[in-house]
Amino acid sequence: MINIMLSAALVLFGVAILISLYRIIIGPSLPDRVIALDMIGVHLVSAIAIISVLFHTTAFLEVILILAILSFISTIAFSKYIERGVIIERKHDS
Amino acid sequence: MQSLNSCRVKIVYLFNCEIKSYLLQLDNFAKYFTIRNGGLILVSVNLLIIIPFIAAALILFLQKRVSRIHIGWFVLLIPIILFIFLVRYIPNIANGATYLHTINWIPSYGINFSSYLDGLSLIFGLIITGIGALVIVYSIYYLNENESLKHFYCYLMLFMGAMLGVIFSDNIMVLYVFWELTSISSFLLIAFWFQRKRSREGAQKALLITVSGGFSMLAGFIMIGNITGSFSFREIIAIIPDFYDHTLFIPAMLLILLGAFTKSAQFPFHIWLPSAMEAPTPVSAYLHSATMVNAGLYLVARFTPVFGGEGLWFWLVTVVGLVTMFWGSFTAVRQTDLKALLAYSTISQLGMIMSMFGMGSAALNNGYSADSVVYTQATFAALFHLINHATFKSALFMVVGIIDHGVGTRDIRRLGGLATYMPITFTIAMIGSFSMAGLPPFNGFLSKEMFFTSVLNIREANIFSLEAWGTLLPVLAWVASVFTFIYCMIVVFKTFLGKYQEERLEHPAHEAPVGMLIAPIILAVLVIAIFFFPNVLGDYLIVPAMASIFPAFAAEADLGVTISAWHGFTPELIMTIGVVVVGTLLFISLKYWKRIYALLPESWSFDSLYNAVLETVETSSNKITNFYMTGYLRDYLVYIYLFFIIVVGGTLIYTGALNFDIAGNAPIDAIDWFIAITMVVGSIAIIFAKSRLTAILLNGVIGYGVALFFVLLRAPDLALTQTVVETVTTVLFLVAYYFLPDWQKENSSRKTKSVNLLISVLVGAIFVVVALAVQNEKLFESISGFFENSYELVGAKNIVNAILSDFRGFDTMLEVVVLLIAGIGVFTLIKLKARKGEEELENK
């Protein structure tokens, strides 16, 4: 029973990823797309967690943590780019 | 005590043995340098070849030491010494002795530096060293100290050594090495005055033609080596009769003949010889009359026992020789430059000798019989004329050099009436020309008579369908001889008689210095001496040479011919008289019929054909290269992918490897479908993306999808790495984004787009098909079972990490190096910019 529920959840996450992808492709503005990518990251984190439960393993817990951090970083990078045009600013005195 | 004694005896015995073995070695050593016949201590023939090369190396150091004496005097010693060495062989060779010396070079391939001295090579050796000595004497007076003499004599010695190597080599591969050395040294000599454009062009032409012939000859040699399994002349001649039906026999013959024809300036490869006249006159006298152009003749003579008797060989050599003779003499009449005239006359005379070698080979058709001995006369005549030609042609070249040196021009139209100013030169020129024309009492008369004899003889032979075409040969020979007579008269009468035109000369005419005259006088004396004592030459030199060309005949019959100046009223004599009468008439009426030369426009000559071919080859190869080397990366990618499609796809279809078996595949879950669909949609969306940022984002989606697949396929380490790398790549894209040009809509045509689409679909399809087909071809169990007990083996619970750092740590190390190199590369690209004033190397 729990397996069926977990699988159903996985499929739902898959649907959610597809819907986010639709937003990335269509999304009229760049922030739409960036948010959609961030959402895919979050979906992935949840999906991997469910997969870990399904597989009865703790090997993927690092992946969850790393993915959470990285999707945050890439969202930040995009936001900074959208705001400033550059990601790494040079020092003013140089 | 006793044991001590026996010990001492033993030591003494051992000591004696030691001494004995040393003595034995010494004896062998001495034998190596000693020729046992006659007990003379002479150097081996191998050393004879090497001496000029050593000299060539030493000459370069010589000039600094001695600046006051012309270095030619030192160089002169070498050909004289070699000549004397060779002369001492004459009695033994005449008695039938031959000398073979071998030094191992590449024994595993059957290539040894072995020299073979017999009658045939002795004749050429004497010509090379004898005329070489005379030419050096002449060059000492011809070239003054301002020229770069050490280079001249270095090249000349290189050439002499190479030429001696060609004629003395028994191994055909070694012969080829020396053959190319003659081409190269002749190239250097022709372009001796390299500041002149025409010299460089002439040298280039000579090199291109002779080297391409040399290459085809090499191919022929390799074929011969394949047929017989040997590279040695003597072995090849011994066993070649077993291989007449071999498929490579005829190709080998044709290729070797091509090499001989190009080197000996036969029709239509004669064009390099007139252009080579830009060389200094001693070079023309030596290389282009007496030695290098004889190399092809030597090759034909040497290979006569191998190929002779074949109809194709007979017809090719004879007809090409006669056509060359006719064309050379016909064109020579037209020339206005004396050296060009002599060049064409050389071509003509070489053709005559070549045709006689061809006629002589007919004797080998049916093996030995008393009837076929008569045809060997032609070969005898060929060798005889070879010697004669070397004497009178060198003398003539030297005469032209004297005229050029004296009055500053070689143009016949500006010369005339020099006889009173240069009596000795005039005499020599007359002797040489009359000999060339075939008049008594000069040696050319004898060989021309023998030439007619052999042409008349061969007409009556009923082999090779000669009864049908044989009559043409004497006619062609006679017409060619008439033209020969005409240009010989031009040399004498237009240059030395007629009106003296001082205003058209650069210097007033005067007799040449004595030193310059020494060599041509000696040659002129030889010309007359050979006429009066021809049989000395015949018995001592030509008969032993005949033994090398017709080894089977020599055992059965005497191949010698008694040369006589007068043998009654024969058809030959009538032909000669006819040549003189018709030739004189034509010479007198020269200005009336010279118009026929205008019928052949300049653009129809072989020279312009050669130039046109060179030009066409260059422009068309340029065109082809420009056609496909467009400079666009996309075109090169198209080539690469097309190649991939054709080779891999073709192999798949050709081998029928397109069977798929899905029995062993794992089932596909719903989540797998979702991820796959996401990635496919994302990839397709990238192609149609309107902005670069969208593309970057979609790329990130695909990367995360791959990471999820890694999770599903139970690869946590890969999934970790993939997420990190994907994020870093996305960020890097954004960093570089600022510097990238604007996203442009592709403006390629619909056709290009559809071709690109087709190629990309095909490449993708082939990859999919290969990946699916590979599943079926599992040949053995995978080795992953070994890594499963990594804990026992290396103490690691993580197999992936154990493989990366323990089992296959070497790969990891190199991948780390790759990262290091990439990092350093990025750093240098960003930090190191061209300093001020330095050339910017980018985009070039």
Side-chain angles (χ1 to χ4, degrees), chain B residues 489-563:
Chain B
M489 294 307 109
I490 291 178
V491 171
V492 177
F493 290 105
K494 299 251 162 150
T495 322
F496 290 98
L497 301 176
K499 211 174 117 227
Y500 177 61
Q501 322 167 8
E502 185 163 0
E503 69 286 354
R504 304 181 79 171
L505 303 176
E506 283 175 26
H507 319 288
H510 57 86
E511 187 55 274
V514 184
M516 245 180 169
L517 288 169
I518 296 171
I521 287 175
I522 293 174
L523 287 167
V525 168
L526 260 178
V527 167
I528 300 176
I530 291 173
F531 176 78
F532 286 107
F533 308 103
N535 290 313
V536 181
L537 206 64
D539 295 340
Y540 279 95
L541 284 177
I542 303 180
V543 171
M546 296 288 282
S548 340
I549 300 179
F550 301 104
F553 286 48
E556 308 271 351
D558 178 24
L559 293 175
V561 181
T562 315
I563 313 162

Coordinates of all heavy atoms in Angstrom, one line a residue, chain B residues 489-563:
Chain B
M489 N 77.2 21.1 -89.2 CA 77.8 22.2 -90.1 C 77.5 23.6 -89.6 O 78.3 24.5 -89.7 CB 77.2 22.0 -91.5 CG 77.6 20.7 -92.2 SD 79.3 20.4 -92.2 CE 79.5 19.1 -91.1
I490 N 76.3 23.7 -89.0 CA 76.0 25.0 -88.4 C 77.0 25.4 -87.3 O 77.5 26.5 -87.2 CB 74.5 25.0 -87.8 CG1 73.5 24.9 -88.9 CG2 74.3 26.2 -86.9 CD1 72.1 24.8 -88.4
V491 N 77.3 24.4 -86.4 CA 78.3 24.7 -85.4 C 79.6 25.2 -86.0 O 80.1 26.2 -85.5 CB 78.5 23.4 -84.5 CG1 79.6 23.6 -83.6 CG2 77.3 23.0 -83.8
V492 N 80.0 24.6 -87.0 CA 81.3 25.0 -87.5 C 81.2 26.3 -88.4 O 81.9 27.2 -88.1 CB 81.9 23.8 -88.4 CG1 83.3 24.3 -89.0 CG2 82.1 22.6 -87.6
F493 N 80.3 26.2 -89.3 CA 80.4 27.3 -90.3 C 79.8 28.6 -89.8 O 80.2 29.7 -90.1 CB 79.7 26.8 -91.6 CG 80.5 25.8 -92.3 CD1 80.2 24.5 -92.3 CD2 81.7 26.2 -93.0 CE1 81.0 23.5 -92.9 CE2 82.5 25.2 -93.6 CZ 82.1 23.9 -93.6
K494 N 78.7 28.5 -89.1 CA 78.0 29.8 -88.7 C 78.8 30.4 -87.5 O 78.7 31.6 -87.3 CB 76.6 29.5 -88.2 CG 75.7 28.9 -89.3 CD 74.7 29.9 -89.7 CE 74.2 29.5 -91.0 NZ 72.8 29.9 -91.3
T495 N 79.6 29.6 -86.8 CA 80.4 30.2 -85.7 C 81.7 30.7 -86.1 O 82.1 31.8 -85.8 CB 80.5 29.2 -84.6 OG1 79.4 28.4 -84.5 CG2 80.8 29.8 -83.3
F496 N 82.4 29.9 -86.9 CA 83.8 30.2 -87.1 C 84.1 30.8 -88.5 O 85.1 31.4 -88.7 CB 84.7 28.9 -86.9 CG 84.7 28.5 -85.5 CD1 83.9 27.5 -85.1 CD2 85.6 29.1 -84.6 CE1 83.9 27.1 -83.7 CE2 85.7 28.7 -83.3 CZ 84.8 27.7 -82.9
L497 N 83.2 30.6 -89.4 CA 83.4 31.2 -90.8 C 82.4 32.3 -91.0 O 81.6 32.5 -90.1 CB 83.3 30.1 -91.8 CG 84.4 28.9 -91.6 CD1 84.1 27.9 -92.6 CD2 85.8 29.5 -91.7
G498 N 82.5 32.9 -92.2 CA 81.5 33.9 -92.4 C 82.1 35.3 -92.0 O 83.3 35.5 -91.9
K499 N 81.2 36.2 -91.7 CA 81.6 37.6 -91.5 C 81.9 37.8 -90.0 O 81.1 37.3 -89.1 CB 80.5 38.6 -91.9 CG 81.1 39.9 -92.4 CD 80.0 40.7 -93.0 CE 79.8 42.0 -92.2 NZ 78.5 42.4 -91.8
Y500 N 83.0 38.4 -89.7 CA 83.3 38.7 -88.3 C 82.6 40.0 -87.9 O 82.8 41.0 -88.5 CB 84.8 38.8 -88.1 CG 85.3 39.2 -86.7 CD1 85.0 38.4 -85.6 CD2 86.0 40.4 -86.5 CE1 85.4 38.7 -84.4 CE2 86.4 40.7 -85.2 CZ 86.1 39.9 -84.2 OH 86.5 40.2 -82.9
Q501 N 81.8 40.0 -86.9 CA 81.0 41.1 -86.5 C 81.4 41.6 -85.1 O 80.8 41.3 -84.1 CB 79.5 40.8 -86.5 CG 79.1 39.8 -87.6 CD 77.7 39.3 -87.4 OE1 77.0 39.7 -86.5 NE2 77.3 38.3 -88.2
E502 N 82.5 42.4 -85.1 CA 83.0 42.8 -83.8 C 82.1 43.7 -83.0 O 82.0 43.6 -81.8 CB 84.4 43.5 -84.0 CG 85.0 43.8 -82.6 CD 86.4 44.1 -82.7 OE1 87.0 44.2 -83.8 OE2 87.0 44.4 -81.6
E503 N 81.3 44.5 -83.7 CA 80.4 45.4 -83.0 C 79.3 44.7 -82.2 O 78.7 45.3 -81.3 CB 79.8 46.5 -84.0 CG 78.8 46.0 -85.0 CD 79.4 45.2 -86.1 OE1 80.7 45.1 -86.2 OE2 78.6 44.6 -86.9
R504 N 79.0 43.5 -82.6 CA 78.0 42.8 -81.9 C 78.5 41.9 -80.7 O 77.7 41.3 -80.1 CB 77.2 41.9 -82.9 CG 76.6 42.7 -84.0 CD 75.9 41.9 -85.0 NE 74.5 41.6 -84.4 CZ 73.6 41.0 -85.2 NH1 73.9 40.6 -86.4 NH2 72.4 40.8 -84.6
L505 N 79.8 41.9 -80.6 CA 80.4 41.0 -79.5 C 80.7 41.9 -78.3 O 81.0 43.1 -78.4 CB 81.7 40.4 -80.0 CG 81.5 39.5 -81.2 CD1 82.9 38.9 -81.7 CD2 80.5 38.3 -80.9
E506 N 80.7 41.3 -77.2 CA 81.0 42.1 -75.9 C 82.5 42.3 -75.8 O 82.9 43.3 -75.3 CB 80.4 41.3 -74.7 CG 78.9 41.6 -74.6 CD 78.3 40.8 -73.5 OE1 79.0 40.4 -72.5 OE2 77.1 40.5 -73.6
H507 N 83.3 41.3 -76.1 CA 84.8 41.5 -76.1 C 85.3 41.1 -77.5 O 84.7 40.3 -78.1 CB 85.4 40.5 -75.1 CG 84.6 40.4 -73.8 ND1 84.6 41.4 -72.9 CD2 83.9 39.4 -73.3 CE1 83.8 41.0 -71.9 NE2 83.4 39.8 -72.1
P508 N 86.4 41.7 -77.9 CA 87.0 41.3 -79.1 C 87.5 39.9 -79.0 O 88.0 39.4 -78.0 CB 88.1 42.3 -79.3 CG 88.4 42.9 -78.0 CD 87.1 42.8 -77.3
A509 N 87.4 39.1 -80.1 CA 87.7 37.7 -80.1 C 89.2 37.6 -80.0 O 90.0 38.3 -80.5 CB 87.2 37.0 -81.4
H510 N 89.7 36.6 -79.2 CA 91.1 36.2 -79.1 C 91.2 34.8 -78.7 O 90.2 34.2 -78.2 CB 91.8 37.1 -78.1 CG 91.1 37.1 -76.7 ND1 91.5 36.1 -75.8 CD2 90.2 37.8 -76.2 CE1 90.7 36.2 -74.7 NE2 89.9 37.3 -74.9
E511 N 92.3 34.2 -78.9 CA 92.5 32.8 -78.6 C 92.4 32.6 -77.0 O 92.8 33.5 -76.3 CB 93.9 32.3 -79.1 CG 94.0 30.8 -78.9 CD 92.9 30.0 -79.6 OE1 91.9 29.8 -78.9 OE2 93.0 29.6 -80.7
A512 N 91.9 31.4 -76.7 CA 91.7 31.2 -75.2 C 93.0 30.9 -74.6 O 94.0 30.6 -75.2 CB 90.8 29.9 -75.1
P513 N 93.1 31.1 -73.2 CA 94.3 30.7 -72.5 C 94.6 29.2 -72.7 O 93.7 28.4 -72.9 CB 94.0 31.1 -71.1 CG 92.5 31.1 -71.0 CD 92.1 31.6 -72.3
V514 N 95.9 28.9 -72.5 CA 96.3 27.5 -72.8 C 95.6 26.5 -71.9 O 95.2 25.5 -72.3 CB 97.9 27.4 -72.6 CG1 98.4 26.1 -73.0 CG2 98.6 28.5 -73.4
G515 N 95.5 26.9 -70.6 CA 94.9 26.0 -69.6 C 93.5 25.5 -70.0 O 93.2 24.4 -69.9
M516 N 92.8 26.5 -70.6 CA 91.4 26.1 -71.0 C 91.4 25.2 -72.2 O 90.5 24.4 -72.4 CB 90.7 27.4 -71.4 CG 89.5 27.7 -70.5 SD 88.8 29.2 -71.2 CE 87.4 29.3 -70.2
L517 N 92.5 25.2 -73.0 CA 92.5 24.4 -74.2 C 93.0 23.0 -73.9 O 92.8 22.1 -74.8 CB 93.4 25.1 -75.2 CG 92.8 26.3 -75.8 CD1 93.9 27.1 -76.7 CD2 91.6 26.0 -76.7
I518 N 93.7 22.8 -72.7 CA 94.3 21.5 -72.5 C 93.2 20.4 -72.7 O 93.4 19.4 -73.4 CB 94.9 21.4 -71.1 CG1 96.0 22.4 -71.0 CG2 95.4 20.0 -70.8 CD1 96.5 22.5 -69.6
A519 N 92.1 20.5 -71.9 CA 91.2 19.4 -71.9 C 90.6 19.1 -73.3 O 90.5 18.0 -73.7 CB 90.1 19.7 -70.9
P520 N 90.1 20.2 -74.0 CA 89.5 19.9 -75.3 C 90.5 19.3 -76.3 O 90.2 18.5 -77.1 CB 88.9 21.2 -75.8 CG 89.4 22.2 -74.8 CD 89.8 21.5 -73.6
I521 N 91.8 19.8 -76.1 CA 92.8 19.2 -77.1 C 93.0 17.7 -76.8 O 93.0 16.9 -77.8 CB 94.1 19.9 -76.9 CG1 94.0 21.3 -77.5 CG2 95.3 19.2 -77.6 CD1 95.3 22.2 -77.3
I522 N 93.0 17.3 -75.5 CA 93.2 15.9 -75.2 C 92.0 15.1 -75.8 O 92.2 14.1 -76.4 CB 93.3 15.7 -73.7 CG1 94.6 16.3 -73.2 CG2 93.2 14.2 -73.4 CD1 94.7 16.3 -71.7
L523 N 90.8 15.7 -75.7 CA 89.6 15.0 -76.2 C 89.6 14.9 -77.7 O 89.3 13.9 -78.3 CB 88.3 15.7 -75.7 CG 88.0 15.5 -74.2 CD1 87.0 16.5 -73.8 CD2 87.6 14.1 -74.0
A524 N 90.1 16.0 -78.3 CA 90.1 16.0 -79.8 C 91.1 15.0 -80.3 O 90.9 14.2 -81.3 CB 90.5 17.4 -80.3
V525 N 92.3 14.9 -79.6 CA 93.3 13.9 -80.0 C 92.7 12.5 -79.8 O 92.9 11.6 -80.7 CB 94.5 14.0 -79.1 CG1 95.5 12.8 -79.2 CG2 95.2 15.3 -79.4
L526 N 91.9 12.3 -78.7 CA 91.3 11.0 -78.5 C 90.3 10.7 -79.7 O 90.3 9.5 -80.2 CB 90.5 11.0 -77.2 CG 91.1 10.4 -76.0 CD1 90.2 10.5 -74.8 CD2 91.4 8.9 -76.3
V527 N 89.6 11.7 -80.1 CA 88.6 11.5 -81.2 C 89.3 10.9 -82.4 O 88.9 9.9 -83.1 CB 87.9 12.8 -81.6 CG1 87.2 12.7 -82.9 CG2 87.0 13.2 -80.5
I528 N 90.5 11.5 -82.8 CA 91.2 11.0 -83.9 C 91.9 9.7 -83.6 O 91.9 8.8 -84.5 CB 92.3 12.1 -84.3 CG1 91.5 13.4 -84.7 CG2 93.1 11.6 -85.5 CD1 92.5 14.5 -85.0
A529 N 92.4 9.5 -82.4 CA 93.1 8.3 -82.1 C 92.2 7.1 -82.2 O 92.6 6.0 -82.7 CB 93.7 8.4 -80.7
I530 N 91.0 7.3 -81.7 CA 90.0 6.2 -81.7 C 89.7 5.8 -83.2 O 89.5 4.6 -83.5 CB 88.7 6.5 -81.0 CG1 89.0 6.6 -79.5 CG2 87.7 5.5 -81.2 CD1 87.9 7.2 -78.6
F531 N 89.7 6.8 -84.1 CA 89.5 6.4 -85.5 C 90.6 5.5 -86.0 O 90.3 4.6 -86.7 CB 89.4 7.7 -86.3 CG 89.2 7.4 -87.8 CD1 88.0 7.0 -88.3 CD2 90.3 7.5 -88.7 CE1 87.8 6.7 -89.6 CE2 90.1 7.1 -90.0 CZ 88.9 6.8 -90.5
F532 N 91.8 5.9 -85.7 CA 92.9 5.1 -86.3 C 93.2 3.8 -85.5 O 93.6 2.8 -86.1 CB 94.2 5.9 -86.3 CG 94.1 7.0 -87.4 CD1 93.9 8.3 -87.1 CD2 94.1 6.6 -88.7 CE1 93.8 9.3 -88.1 CE2 94.0 7.6 -89.7 CZ 93.9 8.9 -89.4
F533 N 92.9 3.7 -84.2 CA 93.1 2.5 -83.5 C 91.8 2.0 -82.8 O 91.8 1.9 -81.6 CB 94.2 2.6 -82.5 CG 95.5 3.1 -83.1 CD1 95.8 4.5 -82.9 CD2 96.3 2.3 -83.8 CE1 97.0 5.0 -83.5 CE2 97.4 2.8 -84.4 CZ 97.8 4.2 -84.2
P534 N 90.7 1.8 -83.5 CA 89.5 1.5 -82.8 C 89.5 0.2 -82.2 O 88.8 0.0 -81.2 CB 88.4 1.6 -84.0 CG 89.2 1.2 -85.2 CD 90.6 1.7 -85.0
N535 N 90.3 -0.8 -82.7 CA 90.1 -2.1 -82.2 C 90.8 -2.3 -80.8 O 90.4 -3.2 -80.1 CB 90.7 -3.1 -83.2 CG 89.9 -3.2 -84.4 OD1 88.7 -3.3 -84.3 ND2 90.5 -3.0 -85.6
V536 N 91.7 -1.4 -80.4 CA 92.2 -1.4 -79.1 C 91.0 -1.3 -78.1 O 90.9 -2.0 -77.2 CB 93.2 -0.3 -78.9 CG1 93.8 -0.4 -77.5 CG2 94.3 -0.4 -79.9
L537 N 90.3 -0.3 -78.4 CA 89.1 0.0 -77.6 C 88.1 -1.2 -77.6 O 87.6 -1.6 -76.6 CB 88.4 1.3 -78.1 CG 87.6 2.1 -77.2 CD1 88.5 2.7 -76.1 CD2 86.9 3.2 -78.0
G538 N 87.9 -1.7 -78.8 CA 87.0 -2.8 -79.0 C 87.4 -4.0 -78.2 O 86.6 -4.6 -77.5
D539 N 88.7 -4.4 -78.3 CA 89.1 -5.6 -77.7 C 89.2 -5.5 -76.2 O 88.8 -6.4 -75.4 CB 90.4 -6.1 -78.2 CG 90.3 -6.4 -79.7 OD1 89.2 -6.6 -80.2 OD2 91.4 -6.4 -80.4
Y540 N 89.6 -4.4 -75.7 CA 89.9 -4.3 -74.3 C 88.7 -3.8 -73.5 O 88.6 -4.1 -72.3 CB 91.1 -3.4 -74.0 CG 92.4 -4.1 -74.2 CD1 93.1 -4.0 -75.5 CD2 93.0 -4.9 -73.2 CE1 94.2 -4.6 -75.7 CE2 94.1 -5.5 -73.5 CZ 94.8 -5.4 -74.7 OH 95.9 -6.1 -74.9
L541 N 87.9 -3.0 -74.0 CA 86.8 -2.5 -73.3 C 85.4 -3.0 -73.7 O 84.6 -3.4 -72.9 CB 86.7 -0.9 -73.4 CG 87.8 -0.2 -72.5 CD1 87.7 1.3 -72.8 CD2 87.6 -0.5 -71.1
I542 N 85.1 -3.0 -75.0 CA 83.8 -3.3 -75.4 C 83.5 -4.8 -75.4 O 82.4 -5.2 -75.0 CB 83.5 -2.7 -76.8 CG1 83.8 -1.2 -76.8 CG2 82.1 -2.9 -77.2 CD1 83.6 -0.5 -78.0
V543 N 84.4 -5.6 -75.8 CA 84.2 -7.0 -75.7 C 83.8 -7.5 -74.3 O 82.9 -8.2 -74.1 CB 85.3 -7.8 -76.4 CG1 85.2 -9.3 -76.1 CG2 85.4 -7.5 -77.9
P544 N 84.6 -7.1 -73.3 CA 84.2 -7.6 -71.9 C 82.9 -7.0 -71.5 O 82.1 -7.7 -70.8 CB 85.3 -7.0 -71.0 CG 86.4 -6.4 -71.9 CD 86.0 -6.5 -73.3
A545 N 82.5 -5.8 -72.0 CA 81.2 -5.3 -71.7 C 80.1 -6.1 -72.4 O 79.1 -6.3 -71.8 CB 81.1 -3.8 -72.1
M546 N 80.4 -6.5 -73.6 CA 79.4 -7.4 -74.3 C 79.2 -8.7 -73.5 O 78.1 -9.2 -73.4 CB 80.0 -7.8 -75.7 CG 80.1 -6.6 -76.6 SD 78.6 -6.0 -77.2 CE 78.2 -7.2 -78.4
A547 N 80.3 -9.1 -72.8 CA 80.1 -10.4 -72.0 C 79.1 -10.1 -70.9 O 78.4 -11.0 -70.5 CB 81.5 -10.8 -71.5
S548 N 79.1 -8.9 -70.4 CA 78.1 -8.6 -69.3 C 76.7 -8.5 -69.8 O 75.8 -8.8 -69.1 CB 78.5 -7.3 -68.5 OG 79.8 -7.0 -68.7
I549 N 76.6 -8.0 -71.0 CA 75.2 -7.8 -71.5 C 74.7 -9.1 -72.1 O 73.5 -9.4 -72.0 CB 75.2 -6.7 -72.6 CG1 75.7 -5.4 -72.0 CG2 73.8 -6.5 -73.2 CD1 75.8 -4.3 -73.0
F550 N 75.5 -9.9 -72.7 CA 75.0 -11.2 -73.3 C 75.8 -12.3 -72.6 O 76.6 -13.0 -73.2 CB 75.3 -11.2 -74.8 CG 74.6 -10.1 -75.5 CD1 75.3 -9.0 -76.0 CD2 73.2 -10.2 -75.7 CE1 74.6 -8.0 -76.7 CE2 72.6 -9.2 -76.4 CZ 73.3 -8.1 -76.9
P551 N 75.5 -12.6 -71.3 CA 76.3 -13.6 -70.6 C 76.2 -15.0 -71.3 O 77.2 -15.7 -71.3 CB 75.7 -13.6 -69.2 CG 74.4 -12.9 -69.3 CD 74.5 -12.0 -70.5
A552 N 75.0 -15.3 -71.8 CA 74.9 -16.6 -72.4 C 75.7 -16.8 -73.7 O 76.2 -17.8 -74.0 CB 73.4 -16.9 -72.6
F553 N 75.8 -15.6 -74.4 CA 76.4 -15.7 -75.7 C 77.9 -15.7 -75.6 O 78.6 -16.4 -76.4 CB 76.1 -14.4 -76.6 CG 74.7 -14.4 -77.1 CD1 73.6 -14.7 -76.2 CD2 74.4 -14.1 -78.4 CE1 72.3 -14.7 -76.7 CE2 73.1 -14.1 -78.9 CZ 72.1 -14.4 -78.0
A554 N 78.4 -15.0 -74.6 CA 79.8 -14.9 -74.5 C 80.5 -16.2 -74.4 O 81.7 -16.4 -74.8 CB 80.2 -13.9 -73.3
A555 N 79.9 -17.1 -73.7 CA 80.5 -18.4 -73.5 C 80.6 -19.2 -74.9 O 81.5 -20.0 -75.1 CB 79.7 -19.3 -72.5
E556 N 79.7 -18.9 -75.8 CA 79.6 -19.7 -77.0 C 80.4 -19.1 -78.2 O 81.0 -19.8 -79.0 CB 78.2 -19.8 -77.5 CG 77.2 -20.3 -76.4 CD 77.1 -21.8 -76.4 OE1 77.6 -22.4 -77.3 OE2 76.5 -22.3 -75.4
A557 N 80.4 -17.8 -78.3 CA 81.0 -17.2 -79.5 C 81.8 -15.9 -79.1 O 81.6 -15.4 -78.1 CB 79.9 -16.9 -80.5
D558 N 82.6 -15.6 -80.1 CA 83.3 -14.3 -79.9 C 82.4 -13.2 -80.3 O 82.0 -13.1 -81.5 CB 84.6 -14.3 -80.7 CG 85.4 -13.1 -80.6 OD1 85.2 -12.4 -79.5 OD2 86.2 -12.7 -81.5
L559 N 82.1 -12.3 -79.4 CA 81.2 -11.2 -79.7 C 81.9 -10.0 -80.3 O 81.2 -9.0 -80.6 CB 80.4 -10.8 -78.5 CG 79.4 -11.9 -78.0 CD1 78.7 -11.5 -76.7 CD2 78.3 -12.2 -79.0
G560 N 83.2 -10.0 -80.4 CA 83.9 -8.9 -80.8 C 83.6 -8.6 -82.3 O 83.3 -9.5 -83.1
V561 N 83.7 -7.4 -82.7 CA 83.6 -7.0 -84.1 C 84.9 -6.3 -84.5 O 85.3 -5.5 -83.7 CB 82.4 -6.1 -84.3 CG1 82.3 -5.7 -85.7 CG2 81.1 -6.7 -83.7
T562 N 85.4 -6.6 -85.6 CA 86.6 -5.9 -86.0 C 86.1 -4.6 -86.7 O 85.4 -4.6 -87.7 CB 87.4 -6.7 -87.0 OG1 87.5 -8.0 -86.5 CG2 88.8 -6.1 -87.2
I563 N 86.5 -3.5 -86.1 CA 86.0 -2.2 -86.6 C 87.0 -1.8 -87.7 O 88.2 -1.8 -87.5 CB 86.0 -1.1 -85.6 CG1 85.3 -1.7 -84.3 CG2 85.3 0.1 -86.1 CD1 85.6 -0.8 -83.1

